[in-house]
Coordinates of all heavy atoms in Angstrom, one line a residue:
M1457 N -164.3 -55.3 -31.9 CA -163.1 -54.8 -31.2 C -163.6 -53.9 -30.0 O -164.4 -53.0 -30.2 CB -162.2 -54.0 -32.1 CG -160.9 -53.6 -31.5 SD -159.8 -52.6 -32.6 CE -159.2 -53.9 -33.7
D1458 N -163.1 -54.2 -28.8 CA -163.6 -53.4 -27.7 C -162.7 -52.2 -27.5 O -161.8 -52.0 -28.3 CB -163.6 -54.3 -26.4 CG -162.2 -54.7 -25.9 OD1 -161.2 -54.2 -26.4 OD2 -162.2 -55.6 -25.1
D1459 N -163.1 -51.3 -26.6 CA -162.4 -50.1 -26.4 C -160.9 -50.2 -26.1 O -160.1 -49.4 -26.6 CB -163.1 -49.3 -25.2 CG -164.5 -48.7 -25.6 OD1 -164.7 -48.7 -26.9 OD2 -165.2 -48.4 -24.7
L1460 N -160.6 -51.2 -25.3 CA -159.2 -51.4 -25.0 C -158.4 -51.8 -26.2 O -157.3 -51.3 -26.5 CB -159.0 -52.5 -23.9 CG -157.6 -52.9 -23.5 CD1 -156.8 -51.7 -23.0 CD2 -157.5 -54.0 -22.5
D1461 N -158.9 -52.7 -27.0 CA -158.3 -53.1 -28.3 C -158.1 -51.9 -29.2 O -157.1 -51.7 -29.8 CB -159.0 -54.2 -29.0 CG -159.0 -55.5 -28.3 OD1 -158.0 -55.8 -27.6 OD2 -159.9 -56.3 -28.5
K1462 N -159.1 -51.0 -29.3 CA -159.0 -49.8 -30.1 C -157.9 -48.9 -29.6 O -157.2 -48.3 -30.4 CB -160.4 -49.1 -30.1 CG -161.5 -49.8 -30.9 CD -162.8 -49.0 -30.8 CE -163.9 -49.8 -31.4 NZ -165.2 -49.1 -31.3
Y1463 N -157.9 -48.7 -28.3 CA -156.9 -47.8 -27.7 C -155.5 -48.4 -28.0 O -154.6 -47.6 -28.4 CB -157.1 -47.7 -26.2 CG -155.9 -47.0 -25.5 CD1 -155.7 -45.6 -25.6 CD2 -154.9 -47.7 -24.9 CE1 -154.6 -45.0 -25.1 CE2 -153.8 -47.1 -24.3 CZ -153.7 -45.8 -24.4 OH -152.6 -45.2 -23.9
I1464 N -155.3 -49.7 -27.8 CA -154.0 -50.3 -28.0 C -153.6 -50.1 -29.5 O -152.4 -49.7 -29.8 CB -154.0 -51.7 -27.6 CG1 -154.1 -51.9 -26.1 CG2 -152.7 -52.5 -28.1 CD1 -154.3 -53.3 -25.6
Q1465 N -154.5 -50.3 -30.4 CA -154.2 -50.2 -31.8 C -153.8 -48.8 -32.2 O -152.9 -48.5 -32.9 CB -155.3 -50.7 -32.7 CG -155.0 -50.8 -34.1 CD -153.7 -51.7 -34.4 OE1 -153.7 -52.8 -33.9 NE2 -152.7 -51.1 -35.0
Q1466 N -154.6 -47.8 -31.7 CA -154.3 -46.4 -31.9 C -152.9 -46.0 -31.4 O -152.2 -45.3 -32.1 CB -155.4 -45.5 -31.3 CG -156.7 -45.6 -32.0 CD -157.8 -44.9 -31.3 OE1 -157.7 -44.5 -30.1 NE2 -159.0 -44.8 -31.9
R1467 N -152.6 -46.5 -30.2 CA -151.3 -46.1 -29.6 C -150.2 -46.8 -30.4 O -149.2 -46.1 -30.6 CB -151.4 -46.6 -28.1 CG -150.1 -46.4 -27.4 CD -150.1 -45.0 -26.8 NE -148.8 -44.7 -26.2 CZ -148.4 -45.0 -25.0 NH1 -149.2 -45.5 -24.1 NH2 -147.2 -44.7 -24.6
K1468 N -150.4 -48.0 -30.8 CA -149.4 -48.7 -31.6 C -149.2 -48.0 -33.0 O -148.0 -47.9 -33.4 CB -149.8 -50.2 -31.9 CG -149.6 -51.0 -30.6 CD -150.3 -52.3 -30.7 CE -149.7 -53.3 -31.6 NZ -150.4 -54.6 -31.6
D1469 N -150.2 -47.5 -33.5 CA -150.2 -46.8 -34.8 C -149.4 -45.5 -34.7 O -148.7 -45.1 -35.7 CB -151.6 -46.5 -35.4 CG -152.3 -47.7 -35.9 OD1 -151.6 -48.8 -36.0 OD2 -153.5 -47.7 -36.0
R1470 N -149.5 -44.8 -33.6 CA -148.8 -43.5 -33.5 C -147.5 -43.6 -32.8 O -146.7 -42.6 -32.7 CB -149.7 -42.5 -32.9 CG -150.0 -42.6 -31.4 CD -150.9 -41.5 -30.9 NE -151.1 -41.6 -29.5 CZ -152.1 -42.2 -28.9 NH1 -153.1 -42.6 -29.6 NH2 -152.2 -42.2 -27.6
D1471 N -147.1 -44.7 -32.1 CA -145.9 -44.8 -31.3 C -145.2 -46.1 -31.6 O -145.5 -47.1 -30.9 CB -146.3 -44.6 -29.9 CG -145.1 -44.6 -28.9 OD1 -144.0 -44.8 -29.4 OD2 -145.3 -44.3 -27.7
P1472 N -144.3 -46.1 -32.5 CA -143.6 -47.4 -32.9 C -142.9 -48.0 -31.7 O -142.8 -49.3 -31.6 CB -142.6 -47.0 -34.0 CG -143.1 -45.7 -34.5 CD -143.8 -45.0 -33.4
S1473 N -142.3 -47.2 -30.8 CA -141.6 -47.8 -29.6 C -142.6 -48.5 -28.7 O -142.3 -49.6 -28.1 CB -140.8 -46.8 -28.9 OG -141.6 -45.8 -28.3
F1474 N -143.8 -48.0 -28.6 CA -144.9 -48.6 -27.8 C -145.3 -49.9 -28.4 O -145.4 -51.0 -27.8 CB -146.1 -47.7 -27.6 CG -147.3 -48.4 -27.0 CD1 -147.4 -48.5 -25.6 CD2 -148.3 -49.0 -27.8 CE1 -148.5 -49.2 -25.0 CE2 -149.3 -49.7 -27.2 CZ -149.4 -49.7 -25.8
A1475 N -145.4 -49.9 -29.8 CA -145.8 -51.1 -30.5 C -144.8 -52.2 -30.3 O -145.2 -53.4 -30.1 CB -146.0 -50.8 -32.0
E1476 N -143.5 -51.9 -30.4 CA -142.5 -52.9 -30.2 C -142.5 -53.5 -28.8 O -142.4 -54.7 -28.6 CB -141.1 -52.3 -30.6 CG -140.0 -53.3 -30.5 CD -138.7 -52.7 -30.9 OE1 -138.6 -51.8 -31.7 OE2 -137.6 -53.2 -30.4
A1477 N -142.6 -52.6 -27.8 CA -142.6 -53.0 -26.4 C -143.8 -53.9 -26.1 O -143.7 -54.9 -25.4 CB -142.5 -51.8 -25.5
Y1478 N -144.9 -53.5 -26.7 CA -146.2 -54.2 -26.5 C -146.1 -55.6 -27.0 O -146.4 -56.6 -26.4 CB -147.3 -53.5 -27.2 CG -148.7 -54.2 -27.0 CD1 -149.4 -54.0 -25.8 CD2 -149.1 -55.1 -27.9 CE1 -150.6 -54.6 -25.7 CE2 -150.3 -55.8 -27.8 CZ -151.1 -55.5 -26.6 OH -152.3 -56.2 -26.5
E1479 N -145.6 -55.8 -28.2 CA -145.4 -57.1 -28.8 C -144.5 -58.0 -28.1 O -144.7 -59.1 -27.8 CB -145.0 -57.0 -30.3 CG -146.0 -56.4 -31.2 CD -147.3 -57.2 -31.2 OE1 -147.3 -58.4 -31.2 OE2 -148.4 -56.5 -31.3
S1480 N -143.4 -57.4 -27.6 CA -142.4 -58.1 -26.8 C -143.0 -58.6 -25.5 O -142.9 -59.8 -25.1 CB -141.2 -57.3 -26.6 OG -140.3 -57.9 -25.7
G1481 N -143.7 -57.7 -24.8 CA -144.3 -58.0 -23.6 C -145.4 -59.1 -23.7 O -145.6 -59.9 -22.9
Y1482 N -146.1 -58.9 -24.8 CA -147.2 -59.9 -25.1 C -146.7 -61.3 -25.3 O -147.2 -62.3 -24.8 CB -148.0 -59.4 -26.3 CG -149.3 -60.3 -26.6 CD1 -150.4 -60.1 -25.8 CD2 -149.3 -61.2 -27.6 CE1 -151.5 -60.9 -26.0 CE2 -150.4 -61.9 -27.9 CZ -151.5 -61.8 -27.1 OH -152.7 -62.5 -27.3
Q1483 N -145.6 -61.4 -26.0 CA -145.0 -62.7 -26.2 C -144.5 -63.3 -24.9 O -144.6 -64.5 -24.7 CB -143.8 -62.6 -27.2 CG -144.2 -62.3 -28.6 CD -145.2 -63.2 -29.2 OE1 -145.1 -64.4 -29.1 NE2 -146.3 -62.7 -29.8
E1484 N -143.9 -62.5 -24.1 CA -143.5 -63.0 -22.8 C -144.7 -63.5 -21.9 O -144.6 -64.5 -21.2 CB -142.7 -61.9 -22.0 CG -141.3 -61.6 -22.6 CD -140.7 -60.4 -22.1 OE1 -141.2 -59.8 -21.1 OE2 -139.6 -60.0 -22.6
F1485 N -145.7 -62.7 -22.0 CA -147.0 -63.1 -21.3 C -147.5 -64.5 -21.8 O -147.8 -65.3 -21.0 CB -148.0 -62.0 -21.5 CG -149.4 -62.4 -21.1 CD1 -149.8 -62.4 -19.8 CD2 -150.4 -62.8 -22.0 CE1 -151.0 -62.8 -19.4 CE2 -151.6 -63.1 -21.6 CZ -152.0 -63.1 -20.3
L1486 N -147.5 -64.7 -23.1 CA -147.9 -65.9 -23.7 C -147.1 -67.1 -23.2 O -147.6 -68.2 -23.0 CB -147.9 -65.9 -25.2 CG -149.0 -65.0 -25.9 CD1 -148.9 -65.0 -27.4 CD2 -150.4 -65.5 -25.5
I1487 N -145.8 -66.9 -23.1 CA -144.9 -68.0 -22.7 C -145.3 -68.4 -21.3 O -145.4 -69.6 -20.9 CB -143.4 -67.6 -22.7 CG1 -143.0 -67.4 -24.2 CG2 -142.5 -68.6 -22.0 CD1 -141.6 -66.7 -24.4
G1488 N -145.5 -67.4 -20.4 CA -145.9 -67.7 -19.0 C -147.3 -68.4 -19.0 O -147.4 -69.4 -18.2
V1489 N -148.2 -68.0 -19.8 CA -149.5 -68.7 -19.9 C -149.3 -70.1 -20.3 O -149.9 -71.0 -19.7 CB -150.5 -67.9 -20.8 CG1 -151.7 -68.8 -21.1 CG2 -150.9 -66.6 -20.2
L1490 N -148.5 -70.4 -21.3 CA -148.3 -71.7 -21.8 C -147.7 -72.6 -20.7 O -148.0 -73.8 -20.5 CB -147.4 -71.7 -23.0 CG -148.0 -71.2 -24.3 CD1 -146.9 -71.1 -25.4 CD2 -149.1 -72.1 -24.8
L1491 N -146.7 -72.0 -20.0 CA -146.1 -72.8 -18.9 C -147.1 -73.2 -17.8 O -147.1 -74.3 -17.3 CB -144.9 -72.0 -18.3 CG -143.7 -71.8 -19.2 CD1 -142.7 -70.8 -18.5 CD2 -143.0 -73.1 -19.5
K1492 N -147.9 -72.2 -17.4 CA -148.9 -72.4 -16.4 C -149.9 -73.5 -16.8 O -150.3 -74.4 -16.1 CB -149.6 -71.1 -16.0 CG -150.6 -71.3 -14.9 CD -151.1 -69.9 -14.5 CE -152.0 -70.0 -13.3 NZ -152.5 -68.7 -12.8
E1493 N -150.4 -73.3 -18.1 CA -151.4 -74.3 -18.6 C -150.8 -75.7 -18.6 O -151.5 -76.7 -18.3 CB -151.9 -73.9 -20.0 CG -152.8 -72.7 -19.9 CD -153.2 -72.3 -21.3 OE1 -152.7 -72.8 -22.3 OE2 -154.1 -71.4 -21.4
A1494 N -149.5 -75.8 -19.0 CA -148.9 -77.2 -19.1 C -148.7 -77.7 -17.7 O -149.0 -78.9 -17.5 CB -147.5 -77.0 -19.8
R1495 N -148.4 -76.9 -16.7 CA -148.2 -77.4 -15.4 C -149.6 -77.8 -14.8 O -149.7 -78.9 -14.2 CB -147.6 -76.3 -14.5 CG -147.5 -76.7 -13.0 CD -147.0 -75.6 -12.1 NE -147.8 -74.4 -12.1 CZ -149.0 -74.3 -11.5 NH1 -149.5 -75.3 -10.8 NH2 -149.7 -73.1 -11.6
Q1496 N -150.6 -77.0 -15.0 CA -151.9 -77.4 -14.5 C -152.5 -78.6 -15.2 O -153.1 -79.5 -14.5 CB -152.9 -76.2 -14.6 CG -152.5 -75.1 -13.7 CD -153.4 -73.8 -13.9 OE1 -153.9 -73.5 -15.0 NE2 -153.5 -73.0 -12.8
S1497 N -152.2 -78.7 -16.5 CA -152.7 -79.9 -17.2 C -152.1 -81.2 -16.7 O -152.7 -82.2 -16.7 CB -152.4 -79.7 -18.7 OG -152.7 -80.8 -19.4
A1498 N -150.8 -81.0 -16.3 CA -150.1 -82.2 -15.7 C -150.5 -82.5 -14.3 O -150.1 -83.5 -13.7 CB -148.6 -82.0 -15.8
G1499 N -151.3 -81.6 -13.7 CA -151.7 -81.8 -12.3 C -150.7 -81.6 -11.3 O -150.6 -82.3 -10.3
V1500 N -149.7 -80.7 -11.6 CA -148.6 -80.5 -10.8 C -148.7 -79.1 -10.1 O -149.1 -78.1 -10.8 CB -147.3 -80.6 -11.6 CG1 -146.1 -80.3 -10.8 CG2 -147.2 -82.0 -12.2
T1501 N -148.4 -79.0 -8.9 CA -148.3 -77.7 -8.2 C -147.0 -76.9 -8.5 O -146.0 -77.6 -9.0 CB -148.5 -77.8 -6.7 OG1 -147.3 -78.4 -6.2 CG2 -149.7 -78.5 -6.3
Q1502 N -147.0 -75.7 -8.3 CA -145.7 -74.9 -8.5 C -144.7 -75.5 -7.6 O -143.5 -75.6 -8.0 CB -145.9 -73.4 -8.2 CG -146.7 -72.7 -9.2 CD -146.8 -71.2 -8.9 OE1 -146.7 -70.8 -7.8 NE2 -147.1 -70.4 -9.9
E1503 N -145.0 -75.8 -6.4 CA -144.1 -76.4 -5.4 C -143.5 -77.7 -5.9 O -142.3 -78.0 -5.8 CB -144.7 -76.6 -4.0 CG -143.8 -77.0 -2.9 CD -142.8 -75.9 -2.5 OE1 -143.3 -74.7 -2.3 OE2 -141.6 -76.2 -2.3
E1504 N -144.4 -78.6 -6.4 CA -143.9 -79.9 -6.9 C -143.0 -79.7 -8.2 O -142.0 -80.4 -8.3 CB -145.1 -80.7 -7.3 CG -145.9 -81.2 -6.1 CD -147.3 -81.8 -6.5 OE1 -147.8 -81.4 -7.6 OE2 -147.8 -82.6 -5.7
L1505 N -143.3 -78.8 -9.0 CA -142.5 -78.5 -10.2 C -141.2 -78.0 -9.8 O -140.1 -78.4 -10.3 CB -143.2 -77.6 -11.2 CG -142.5 -77.2 -12.4 CD1 -142.0 -78.4 -13.2 CD2 -143.3 -76.3 -13.3
A1506 N -141.2 -77.1 -8.8 CA -139.9 -76.5 -8.3 C -139.0 -77.6 -7.8 O -137.8 -77.6 -8.1 CB -140.2 -75.4 -7.3
T1507 N -139.6 -78.5 -7.0 CA -138.8 -79.6 -6.4 C -138.2 -80.5 -7.5 O -137.1 -80.9 -7.5 CB -139.7 -80.4 -5.5 OG1 -140.1 -79.6 -4.4 CG2 -138.9 -81.6 -4.9
A1508 N -139.0 -80.7 -8.5 CA -138.6 -81.6 -9.6 C -137.4 -81.0 -10.4 O -136.6 -81.8 -10.9 CB -139.8 -81.9 -10.6
I1509 N -137.3 -79.7 -10.5 CA -136.2 -79.1 -11.3 C -135.2 -78.4 -10.4 O -134.4 -77.7 -10.8 CB -136.7 -78.1 -12.4 CG1 -137.4 -76.9 -11.8 CG2 -137.7 -78.8 -13.3 CD1 -137.6 -75.8 -12.8
H1510 N -135.3 -78.7 -9.1 CA -134.3 -78.3 -8.1 C -134.2 -76.7 -8.0 O -133.1 -76.2 -8.1 CB -132.9 -78.9 -8.3 CG -133.0 -80.4 -8.5 ND1 -133.2 -81.2 -7.4 CD2 -132.9 -81.2 -9.6 CE1 -133.2 -82.5 -7.9 NE2 -133.0 -82.5 -9.2
T1511 N -135.4 -76.1 -7.8 CA -135.4 -74.7 -7.7 C -136.5 -74.3 -6.7 O -137.0 -75.2 -6.0 CB -135.6 -74.0 -9.1 OG1 -135.4 -72.6 -8.9 CG2 -137.0 -74.2 -9.6
K1512 N -136.8 -73.0 -6.6 CA -137.7 -72.6 -5.6 C -139.1 -72.3 -6.3 O -139.1 -72.0 -7.5 CB -137.3 -71.3 -5.0 CG -136.0 -71.4 -4.1 CD -135.6 -70.1 -3.5 CE -134.3 -70.3 -2.8 NZ -133.8 -69.1 -2.2
K1513 N -140.1 -72.4 -5.5 CA -141.5 -72.1 -6.0 C -141.6 -70.7 -6.6 O -142.2 -70.5 -7.6 CB -142.5 -72.2 -4.9 CG -143.9 -72.0 -5.3 CD -144.9 -72.1 -4.1 CE -146.3 -71.7 -4.6 NZ -146.9 -70.7 -3.8
S1514 N -140.8 -69.7 -6.0 CA -140.9 -68.4 -6.5 C -140.3 -68.3 -7.9 O -140.8 -67.4 -8.7 CB -140.1 -67.4 -5.6 OG -138.7 -67.8 -5.5
V1515 N -139.4 -69.1 -8.3 CA -138.9 -69.1 -9.7 C -140.0 -69.6 -10.6 O -140.2 -69.0 -11.7 CB -137.7 -70.1 -9.8 CG1 -137.2 -70.3 -11.2 CG2 -136.5 -69.5 -9.0
I1516 N -140.7 -70.6 -10.3 CA -141.8 -71.1 -11.1 C -142.9 -70.0 -11.2 O -143.4 -69.7 -12.3 CB -142.5 -72.4 -10.5 CG1 -141.4 -73.5 -10.4 CG2 -143.6 -72.8 -11.4 CD1 -140.6 -73.8 -11.6
S1517 N -143.2 -69.3 -10.1 CA -144.2 -68.3 -10.1 C -143.8 -67.1 -11.1 O -144.5 -66.6 -11.9 CB -144.4 -67.7 -8.7 OG -145.3 -66.7 -8.7
R1518 N -142.5 -66.7 -11.0 CA -142.0 -65.7 -11.9 C -142.0 -66.1 -13.3 O -142.4 -65.3 -14.2 CB -140.5 -65.4 -11.5 CG -140.4 -64.1 -10.7 CD -138.9 -63.6 -10.6 NE -137.9 -64.6 -10.5 CZ -137.5 -65.1 -9.3 NH1 -138.0 -64.7 -8.2 NH2 -136.5 -66.0 -9.3
L1519 N -141.7 -67.4 -13.6 CA -141.8 -67.8 -15.0 C -143.2 -67.7 -15.5 O -143.5 -67.3 -16.7 CB -141.3 -69.3 -15.1 CG -139.9 -69.6 -15.1 CD1 -139.6 -71.0 -15.0 CD2 -139.1 -68.9 -16.3
E1520 N -144.2 -68.1 -14.7 CA -145.6 -68.1 -15.1 C -146.2 -66.7 -15.2 O -147.1 -66.5 -16.0 CB -146.4 -69.0 -14.2 CG -146.1 -70.4 -14.3 CD -146.9 -71.3 -13.3 OE1 -147.8 -70.7 -12.6 OE2 -146.8 -72.5 -13.4
N1521 N -145.7 -65.8 -14.4 CA -146.2 -64.5 -14.4 C -145.5 -63.4 -15.2 O -146.0 -62.4 -15.6 CB -146.4 -64.0 -13.0 CG -147.4 -64.8 -12.2 OD1 -148.6 -64.8 -12.7 ND2 -147.1 -65.5 -11.2
R1522 N -144.2 -63.8 -15.5 CA -143.4 -62.8 -16.3 C -142.2 -63.6 -16.8 O -141.1 -63.7 -16.1 CB -142.9 -61.7 -15.4 CG -142.2 -60.6 -16.1 CD -141.9 -59.4 -15.2 NE -140.9 -58.6 -15.8 CZ -139.7 -58.4 -15.3 NH1 -139.4 -59.0 -14.2 NH2 -138.8 -57.7 -16.0
A1523 N -142.3 -64.2 -17.9 CA -141.3 -65.1 -18.5 C -140.1 -64.4 -19.1 O -139.3 -65.0 -19.8 CB -142.0 -66.1 -19.4
S1524 N -140.0 -63.1 -18.9 CA -138.9 -62.4 -19.5 C -137.6 -62.9 -19.0 O -137.5 -63.3 -17.8 CB -139.0 -60.9 -19.3 OG -138.9 -60.6 -18.0
D1525 N -136.6 -63.0 -19.8 CA -135.3 -63.4 -19.5 C -135.2 -64.8 -18.9 O -134.3 -65.1 -18.2 CB -134.6 -62.4 -18.5 CG -134.5 -61.0 -19.1 OD1 -134.3 -60.9 -20.3 OD2 -134.6 -60.0 -18.3
A1526 N -136.1 -65.6 -19.3 CA -136.1 -67.0 -18.8 C -135.0 -67.7 -19.6 O -134.9 -67.5 -20.8 CB -137.4 -67.7 -19.1
R1527 N -134.2 -68.5 -19.0 CA -133.1 -69.2 -19.6 C -133.7 -70.4 -20.4 O -134.6 -71.1 -19.9 CB -132.1 -69.7 -18.6 CG -131.3 -68.7 -18.0 CD -130.3 -69.3 -17.0 NE -129.5 -68.2 -16.4 CZ -128.3 -68.4 -16.0 NH1 -127.7 -69.6 -16.1 NH2 -127.6 -67.4 -15.5
V1528 N -133.1 -70.7 -21.5 CA -133.6 -71.9 -22.3 C -133.4 -73.1 -21.5 O -134.2 -74.0 -21.5 CB -132.8 -72.0 -23.6 CG1 -133.1 -73.2 -24.4 CG2 -133.1 -70.8 -24.5
S1529 N -132.3 -73.2 -20.7 CA -132.0 -74.4 -19.9 C -133.1 -74.6 -18.9 O -133.6 -75.7 -18.6 CB -130.7 -74.3 -19.2 OG -130.6 -73.2 -18.4
T1530 N -133.6 -73.5 -18.3 CA -134.7 -73.6 -17.3 C -136.0 -74.0 -18.0 O -136.7 -74.9 -17.5 CB -134.9 -72.2 -16.6 OG1 -133.7 -71.9 -16.0 CG2 -136.0 -72.3 -15.6
L1531 N -136.3 -73.4 -19.1 CA -137.5 -73.8 -19.9 C -137.5 -75.3 -20.3 O -138.5 -76.0 -20.2 CB -137.7 -72.9 -21.1 CG -137.9 -71.5 -20.9 CD1 -138.0 -70.7 -22.2 CD2 -139.2 -71.2 -20.1
R1532 N -136.3 -75.8 -20.7 CA -136.1 -77.2 -21.0 C -136.4 -78.1 -19.8 O -137.0 -79.1 -19.9 CB -134.7 -77.4 -21.6 CG -134.5 -78.8 -22.1 CD -133.2 -79.0 -22.9 NE -133.2 -78.3 -24.1 CZ -132.4 -77.3 -24.4 NH1 -131.5 -76.8 -23.6 NH2 -132.5 -76.7 -25.6
K1533 N -135.8 -77.7 -18.6 CA -136.1 -78.5 -17.4 C -137.5 -78.5 -17.1 O -138.1 -79.6 -16.7 CB -135.3 -77.9 -16.2 CG -133.8 -78.1 -16.3 CD -133.2 -77.4 -15.1 CE -131.7 -77.4 -15.2 NZ -131.0 -76.7 -14.1
V1534 N -138.2 -77.4 -17.2 CA -139.6 -77.4 -16.9 C -140.4 -78.3 -17.9 O -141.2 -79.1 -17.5 CB -140.2 -75.9 -17.0 CG1 -141.7 -75.9 -17.0 CG2 -139.6 -75.1 -15.8
A1535 N -140.1 -78.2 -19.1 CA -140.7 -79.0 -20.1 C -140.5 -80.5 -19.8 O -141.5 -81.3 -19.9 CB -140.2 -78.6 -21.5
Q1536 N -139.3 -80.9 -19.6 CA -139.0 -82.3 -19.3 C -139.8 -82.8 -18.0 O -140.3 -83.9 -18.0 CB -137.5 -82.5 -19.1 CG -136.8 -82.4 -20.5 CD -135.3 -82.4 -20.3 OE1 -134.7 -82.3 -19.2 NE2 -134.6 -82.6 -21.4
A1537 N -139.8 -81.9 -17.0 CA -140.5 -82.3 -15.8 C -142.0 -82.5 -16.0 O -142.6 -83.2 -15.3 CB -140.2 -81.3 -14.7
L1538 N -142.5 -81.8 -17.0 CA -144.0 -81.9 -17.3 C -144.3 -82.9 -18.4 O -145.4 -83.0 -18.8 CB -144.5 -80.5 -17.6 CG -144.4 -79.4 -16.5 CD1 -144.9 -78.1 -17.1 CD2 -145.3 -79.9 -15.3
G1539 N -143.2 -83.6 -18.8 CA -143.4 -84.6 -19.9 C -143.7 -84.0 -21.2 O -144.3 -84.5 -22.1
K1540 N -143.1 -82.8 -21.4 CA -143.2 -82.0 -22.7 C -141.9 -81.9 -23.4 O -140.8 -82.1 -22.8 CB -143.8 -80.6 -22.4 CG -145.1 -80.6 -21.7 CD -146.2 -81.1 -22.6 CE -147.6 -80.9 -21.8 NZ -148.7 -81.4 -22.6
E1541 N -142.0 -81.4 -24.6 CA -140.7 -81.1 -25.4 C -140.7 -79.7 -25.6 O -141.7 -79.1 -26.1 CB -140.8 -81.9 -26.7 CG -139.6 -81.6 -27.6 CD -139.8 -82.3 -29.0 OE1 -140.8 -82.8 -29.3 OE2 -138.8 -82.2 -29.7
L1542 N -139.6 -79.0 -25.4 CA -139.4 -77.6 -25.7 C -139.1 -77.5 -27.1 O -138.1 -78.1 -27.6 CB -138.4 -77.0 -24.8 CG -138.1 -75.5 -25.0 CD1 -139.3 -74.6 -24.7 CD2 -136.9 -75.0 -24.2
V1543 N -139.8 -76.7 -27.8 CA -139.5 -76.4 -29.3 C -139.3 -74.9 -29.4 O -140.2 -74.1 -29.1 CB -140.7 -76.9 -30.2 CG1 -140.4 -76.6 -31.6 CG2 -140.9 -78.4 -30.0
I1544 N -138.2 -74.5 -30.0 CA -137.9 -73.1 -30.3 C -137.8 -73.0 -31.8 O -137.1 -73.8 -32.4 CB -136.6 -72.6 -29.6 CG1 -136.8 -72.8 -28.0 CG2 -136.3 -71.2 -30.0 CD1 -135.6 -72.5 -27.3
E1545 N -138.5 -72.1 -32.3 CA -138.5 -72.0 -33.8 C -138.2 -70.6 -34.2 O -138.7 -69.6 -33.6 CB -139.9 -72.4 -34.2 CG -140.1 -72.4 -35.7 CD -141.6 -72.8 -36.1 OE1 -142.4 -73.0 -35.2 OE2 -141.8 -73.0 -37.3
L1546 N -137.4 -70.4 -35.2 CA -137.1 -69.1 -35.9 C -137.9 -69.1 -37.2 O -137.8 -70.0 -38.0 CB -135.6 -69.0 -36.1 CG -134.7 -68.9 -34.9 CD1 -133.3 -68.8 -35.3 CD2 -135.1 -67.7 -34.1
R1547 N -138.6 -68.1 -37.4 CA -139.4 -67.9 -38.6 C -139.1 -66.6 -39.3 O -138.7 -65.7 -38.7 CB -140.9 -67.9 -38.3 CG -141.4 -69.1 -37.6 CD -142.9 -69.0 -37.3 NE -143.4 -70.1 -36.6 CZ -144.6 -70.2 -36.1 NH1 -145.4 -69.2 -36.3 NH2 -145.0 -71.3 -35.5
D1548 N -139.3 -66.6 -40.6 CA -139.2 -65.4 -41.3 C -140.3 -64.4 -40.8 O -141.4 -64.9 -40.5 CB -139.4 -65.6 -42.8 CG -138.2 -66.3 -43.4 OD1 -137.1 -66.2 -42.9 OD2 -138.4 -67.0 -44.5
Q1549 N -140.0 -63.2 -40.7 CA -141.0 -62.2 -40.2 C -142.0 -62.0 -41.3 O -141.7 -61.9 -42.5 CB -140.3 -60.9 -39.8 CG -139.5 -61.0 -38.6 CD -138.9 -59.6 -38.2 OE1 -139.0 -58.7 -38.9 NE2 -138.4 -59.6 -37.0
V1550 N -143.2 -62.0 -40.9 CA -144.3 -61.7 -41.8 C -145.2 -60.7 -41.1 O -145.1 -60.5 -39.9 CB -145.2 -62.9 -42.1 CG1 -144.4 -64.0 -42.9 CG2 -145.8 -63.6 -40.8
S1551 N -145.9 -59.9 -41.9 CA -146.7 -58.9 -41.2 C -147.8 -59.6 -40.4 O -148.4 -60.6 -40.8 CB -147.4 -58.0 -42.3 OG -148.1 -58.8 -43.2
K1552 N -147.9 -59.1 -39.2 CA -148.8 -59.8 -38.2 C -150.2 -59.0 -38.3 O -150.2 -57.8 -38.5 CB -148.3 -59.7 -36.8 CG -147.0 -60.4 -36.7 CD -146.4 -60.2 -35.3 CE -145.0 -60.8 -35.2 NZ -144.4 -60.5 -33.9
P1553 N -151.2 -59.8 -38.1 CA -152.5 -59.1 -37.9 C -152.5 -58.2 -36.7 O -151.9 -58.5 -35.7 CB -153.6 -60.2 -37.8 CG -152.8 -61.4 -37.4 CD -151.4 -61.2 -37.8
K1554 N -153.1 -57.0 -36.9 CA -153.1 -56.1 -35.8 C -154.1 -56.5 -34.7 O -155.2 -57.0 -35.0 CB -153.5 -54.7 -36.3 CG -152.5 -54.1 -37.2 CD -152.8 -52.8 -37.7 CE -151.7 -52.2 -38.6 NZ -152.0 -50.9 -39.0
R1555 N -153.6 -56.4 -33.5 CA -154.5 -56.7 -32.3 C -155.2 -55.5 -31.9 O -154.8 -54.5 -31.8 CB -153.7 -57.2 -31.2 CG -153.1 -58.5 -31.4 CD -152.5 -59.0 -30.1 NE -151.1 -59.1 -30.1 CZ -150.4 -60.1 -30.5 NH1 -151.0 -61.2 -30.9 NH2 -149.1 -60.1 -30.5

């Protein structure tokens, strides 16, 4: 575990509101990473994807860099344009390994 991981864990241990915000932000970050990877894997530019779903390149950029508040309908359009299927899953909460 590097110094940053240690700091984050210590901060999460002493500040529950930080821990909650961190986890939420991390999940949004992961969504953006998945979208970007899918687009790049498909060999599509942000501009081409935007055209395919009738939006602006800036919308695609925002999704990839900060997927917070993304509409399910938008995520579905992106998935379809990239030849993917959007899967949303609800799971029982389990204790997560600490990062």
Side-chain angles (χ1 to χ4, degrees):
M1457 184 181 286
D1458 65 14
D1459 289 340
L1460 178 59
D1461 290 332
K1462 287 178 188 175
Y1463 170 78
I1464 291 169
Q1465 189 56 54
Q1466 289 170 352
R1467 180 84 189 270
K1468 286 165 71 175
D1469 289 345
R1470 70 175 185 265
D1471 185 350
S1473 63
F1474 172 84
E1476 184 177 329
Y1478 179 86
E1479 290 303 320
S1480 173
Y1482 187 74
Q1483 293 303 313
E1484 291 169 3
F1485 169 76
L1486 286 179
I1487 292 169
V1489 168
L1490 289 172
L1491 292 172
K1492 184 175 184 175
E1493 287 178 351
R1495 178 184 57 76
Q1496 290 175 332
S1497 175
V1500 176
T1501 66
Q1502 287 183 340
E1503 187 71 44
E1504 291 168 334
L1505 179 55
T1507 300
I1509 67 168
H1510 309 289
T1511 193
K1512 296 179 181 177
K1513 180 183 176 232
S1514 61
V1515 171
I1516 304 303
S1517 179
R1518 260 195 319 274
L1519 284 173
E1520 292 181 357
N1521 292 302
R1522 186 171 163 249
S1524 64
D1525 298 328
R1527 292 180 177 210
V1528 173
S1529 60
T1530 302
L1531 295 175
R1532 186 173 288 117
K1533 287 178 187 177
V1534 168
Q1536 289 174 345
L1538 297 174
K1540 304 287 184 184
E1541 176 185 10
L1542 178 65
V1543 177
I1544 299 174
E1545 182 177 8
L1546 295 176
R1547 298 181 183 172
D1548 290 333
Q1549 290 185 349
V1550 295
S1551 56
K1552 299 176 185 174
K1554 295 183 178 184
R1555 288 191 250 272

